[in-house]
Amino acid sequence: ICRDRFYFRDTYSDPRGGYEETFKGGIGWGNTTGVIRWNRVISPKTFGNLTATWTNYKFDLSNEYEEIESNPDGSTEESGSAQRYFSKIEDVALRYDLDFHPNPKHDIRIGATATWHRFQPGVSQFELTDQLSPFDTTLSTLETGAGDFTLYFEDDLAIGSRIKANIGVHFSAFVVDGQTYGSVEPRFSMRYRLATNWSLKASVARMTQYIHLLNNVGIGLPTDLRSEEHTSELQSRQYLV
């Protein structure tokens, strides 16, 4: 968890009166995570893992200004303002992985994940403490929920003494604002051993990203924004030799 705060104070006085002003500001962010895992050996060749996770990410930016004015008659007048901006992303996920080893040449893995995202992109609070016209309001974007679902299958297999390969496929779906985005992502990699210390490797993969990090050009802050109709999913294809 990161947090920085800074202060500024200025004081002026003379026989006719004076004033004192104070400025406070701070910026902070952090992530709270909880994990529960259950491992079970189903058979000598099969075992599974059930994992439940919870994460809560928060970003907070605030500043406060206070002014105290002293009058010649000894009375004081206080005024000030406060502003706060914060955002939050909360995730709850459940994942199950099954490992199956039918023989020394195969290592098969099957798994599924379901994640529920809750986005609160930004809430702004404004407060003005003035004896004549006090003001207090909160501006907020709508809180949005989204579902992220994945299913995968892969097999690490050995072909003879020189060739090893990984063959798999990844299915994913993202549901937000009544819209559903889906993707099928095949993946393949192979290694051919030329000699004891030499090998040739090649791989191809397709990937999809539904949630994006949008950065401000002027300053980079950890403010995640969700994918929506204005920012569709991104897909990539990777080839490696």
Side-chain angles (χ1 to χ4, degrees), residues 26-28 59-63 83-86 221:
I27 180 173
F59 172 77
D60 195 324
L61 177 66
S62 63
N63 65 76
Q83 299 180 15
R84 184 188 177 200
Y85 171 87
F86 63 92
L221 294 174

Side-chain angles (χ1 to χ4, degrees), residues 4 15 21 89 92-94 113 119 126 135 142 144 153 174 184 194 216:
D4 297 293
E21 57 183 5
I89 301 176
V92 179
L94 189 66
T113 304
F119 300 94
F126 302 94
F135 179 75
L142 294 177
T144 303
F153 167 85
F174 189 76
V184 179
L194 300 174
N216 188 308

Side-chain angles (χ1 to χ4, degrees), residues 51-55 89-96 112-119 145-151 173-176 211:
T51 307
T53 61
W54 170 78
T55 62
I89 301 176
E90 184 179 9
D91 291 346
V92 179
L94 189 66
R95 177 186 180 105
Y96 187 75
T113 304
T115 305
W116 178 254
H117 307 280
R118 191 172 66 162
F119 300 94
D148 197 344
F149 308 95
T150 61
L151 176 67
F174 189 76
V175 182
V176 61
I211 302 177

Side-chain angles (χ1 to χ4, degrees), residues 5-195:
R5 301 190 68 87
F6 50 91
Y7 304 85
F8 173 77
R9 172 172 292 181
D10 181 27
T11 304
Y12 169 78
S13 64
D14 63 26
R16 295 169 295 178
Y19 69 87
E20 179 180 341
E21 57 183 5
T22 305
F23 178 80
K24 301 178 183 179
I27 180 173
W29 62 88
N31 192 40
T32 304
T33 304
V35 179
I36 299 176
R37 176 174 292 179
W38 176 40
N39 177 271
R40 183 180 183 183
V41 178
I42 301 173
S43 71
K45 297 182 179 181
T46 308
F47 65 92
N49 277 304
L50 179 64
T51 307
T53 61
W54 170 78
T55 62
N56 189 23
Y57 169 82
K58 294 181 179 180
F59 172 77
D60 195 324
L61 177 66
S62 63
N63 65 76
E64 300 177 12
Y65 172 78
E66 182 181 11
E67 179 180 312
I68 303 176
E69 184 176 354
S70 302
N71 300 318
D73 59 2
S75 63
T76 60
E77 296 180 7
E78 298 183 6
S79 63
S81 63
Q83 299 180 15
R84 184 188 177 200
Y85 171 87
F86 63 92
S87 61
K88 182 175 71 172
I89 301 176
E90 184 179 9
D91 291 346
V92 179
L94 189 66
R95 177 186 180 105
Y96 187 75
D97 299 289
L98 186 68
D99 287 50
F100 177 53
H101 308 277
N103 55 62
K105 293 186 177 182
H106 286 272
D107 186 2
I108 300 173
R109 289 183 290 273
I110 304 173
T113 304
T115 305
W116 178 254
H117 307 280
R118 191 172 66 162
F119 300 94
Q120 195 170 25
V123 177
S124 298
Q125 295 178 339
F126 302 94
E127 182 181 0
L128 179 63
T129 56
D130 188 282
Q131 296 179 357
L132 298 178
S133 56
F135 179 75
D136 188 355
T137 188
T138 300
L139 302 176
S140 173
T141 55
L142 294 177
E143 186 177 293
T144 303
D148 197 344
F149 308 95
T150 61
L151 176 67
Y152 76 91
F153 167 85
E154 66 176 346
D155 183 12
D156 285 326
L157 66 153
I159 305 173
S161 60
R162 292 182 177 269
I163 300 176
K164 285 190 175 182
N166 177 276
I167 302 173
V169 61
H170 185 272
F171 305 93
S172 65
F174 189 76
V175 182
V176 61
D177 291 341
Q179 298 183 9
T180 302
Y181 305 87
S183 177
V184 179
E185 305 162 14
R187 302 174 184 185
F188 172 79
S189 64
M190 186 180 67
R191 187 199 71 180
Y192 180 78
R193 190 175 64 179
L194 300 174

